[in-house]
Amino acid sequence: MSRKLIAGNWKMHKSVAEAVATIDAFVDMIERRQDVDVVICPQYLCLPKLHEVLHRTHIDLGAQDVFWIDSGAFTGQLSPAMLKEFAVTHCIVGHSESRGRFGKLEVPKSTLSYFGETDETVNLKTKALLYHSIAPIVCVGENIDERNEGRTDSVIRVQLGGGLADIEGEEMTNFAIAYEPVWAIGTGQTCDPEEANRVCKLIRDWLVENRPGAEAVRILYGGSVKSSNSKELLHQPNIDGALVGGASLDAKEFCEIVMSA
Ligand code: PGA
């Protein structure tokens, strides 16, 4: 059984001071669970300060997105090499919010290019992260219409095929895939643990069939994970951890989720 990985996705929340205060409130408790891998993904401007705060702990630092080129005329972007400067070890890629899919809040078509993530850009970003030895956390997941139309499994397979194109299983030693049904993100509507386990198994089976050597990949569940449901989710045989949004902003909630792993 692999070690569980609990990643906190803080999204566009918390000033630097608030981020430090939250870490201060949970660090001692989480340090007692050395058997669980923990990553905090704050907004970019928190990275330098949190690097200072976290480097003596077993809590890793993650980013929420990245561009795939090292440097150049790409206004507003940030490269894996820049993340490395602050010892960023993990990076979320292809989050449904970067893909312009906010569940009930699907964005207007005219704004899609602002978010603009496709399976192709997920693939470019994932390859760039691997090149720089930063562990990708690649997100996949269906929206509510796709689920209601019975297309969940095919949507996941297409996202895996596109996002992981030309990446060998042997390259995926430090790697996570997060199953995040779009309809469960930020809605309080958690996926039924058995169904989450089924889709995580589908991802595992896809890897066995298509990416030999990728046995070490951890498969996470994300979407309204909180302390009241984390134990049941994290004890499913095919769920190796959680990507936690809203509940990771609260020190006590996040601590309890880590303790339940
Ligand atoms: P949530 O977000 O836990 O607030 O649903 C999860 C995510 O977006 O990664």
Side-chain angles (χ1 to χ4, degrees):
M1 210 176 74
S2 60
R3 282 167 67 91
K4 297 279 190 221
L5 169 64
I6 309 293
N9 174 11
W10 282 0
K11 307 192 181 184
M12 200 176 72
H13 292 286
K14 293 191 192 288
S15 65
V16 178
E18 288 164 348
V20 171
T22 308
I23 301 279
D24 281 348
F26 68 48
V27 69
D28 290 345
M29 284 291 281
I30 286 182
E31 278 299 273
R32 288 189 215 150
R33 286 301 304 265
Q34 298 283 329
D35 58 326
V36 179
D37 292 336
V38 179
V39 186
I40 294 295
C41 307
Q43 48 101 338
Y44 293 125
L45 297 178
C46 289
L47 290 173
K49 186 67 192 170
L50 291 204
H51 167 49
E52 258 175 66
V53 172
L54 292 176
H55 84 278
R56 276 185 232 285
T57 74
H58 88 290
I59 303 171
D60 284 325
L61 197 53
Q64 298 175 14
D65 199 3
V66 70
F67 196 62
W68 57 87
I69 291 176
D70 275 351
S71 67
F74 301 102
T75 302
Q77 304 300 320
L78 218 122
S79 73
M82 292 165 182
L83 296 179
K84 280 285 276 209
E85 244 191 295
F86 297 103
V88 165
T89 53
H90 293 69
C91 184
I92 297 169
V93 189
H95 191 281
S96 58
E97 289 158 11
S98 320
R99 293 180 193 252
R101 314 179 91 187
F102 290 82
K104 284 187 205 152
L105 244 175
E106 291 282 349
V107 296
K109 271 217 160 31
S110 57
T111 65
L112 255 185
S113 57
Y114 184 78
F115 301 98
E117 190 85 280
T118 63
D119 290 335
E120 204 174 350
T121 59
V122 170
N123 184 243
L124 289 165
K125 292 174 179 185
T126 305
K127 286 177 180 159
L129 290 169
L130 289 174
Y131 181 79
H132 287 275
S133 305
I134 297 175
I137 302 176
V138 176
C139 300
V140 295
E142 81 288 359
N143 67 16
I144 192 64
D145 292 339
E146 291 158 347
R147 171 156 286 265
N148 290 339
E149 289 158 14
R151 294 198 288 124
T152 298
D153 298 8
S154 60
V155 166
I156 304 289
R157 288 197 187 98
V158 168
Q159 289 177 347
L160 289 171
L164 306 182
D166 307 317
I167 296 172
E168 301 288 332
E170 289 83 10
E171 293 175 80
M172 299 169 71
T173 46
N174 194 8
F175 206 106
I177 297 174
Y179 169 52
E180 295 217 314
V182 179
W183 49 271
I185 295 177
T187 59
Q189 205 186 326
T190 318
C191 185
D192 173 68
E194 279 169 24
E195 173 60 7
N197 184 60
R198 186 193 71 80
V199 180
C200 288
K201 173 144 191 332
L202 177 146
I203 295 170
R204 201 175 299 285
D205 290 345
W206 188 93
L207 289 172
V208 168
E209 204 174 307
N210 297 284
R211 293 294 180 278
E215 294 78 19
V217 173
R218 286 187 283 192
I219 301 169
L220 317 181
Y221 167 77
S224 296
V225 175
K226 40 193 179 253
S227 62
S228 57
N229 58 29
S230 58
K231 190 165 183 187
E232 200 181 348
L233 285 160
L234 291 168
H235 284 73
Q236 298 293 324
N238 286 290
I239 299 182
D240 303 320
L243 180 54
V244 188
S248 70
L249 297 169
D250 180 83
K252 187 166 170 287
E253 264 289 294
F254 189 61
C255 242
E256 285 176 18
I257 292 169
V258 173
M259 296 307 147
S260 73

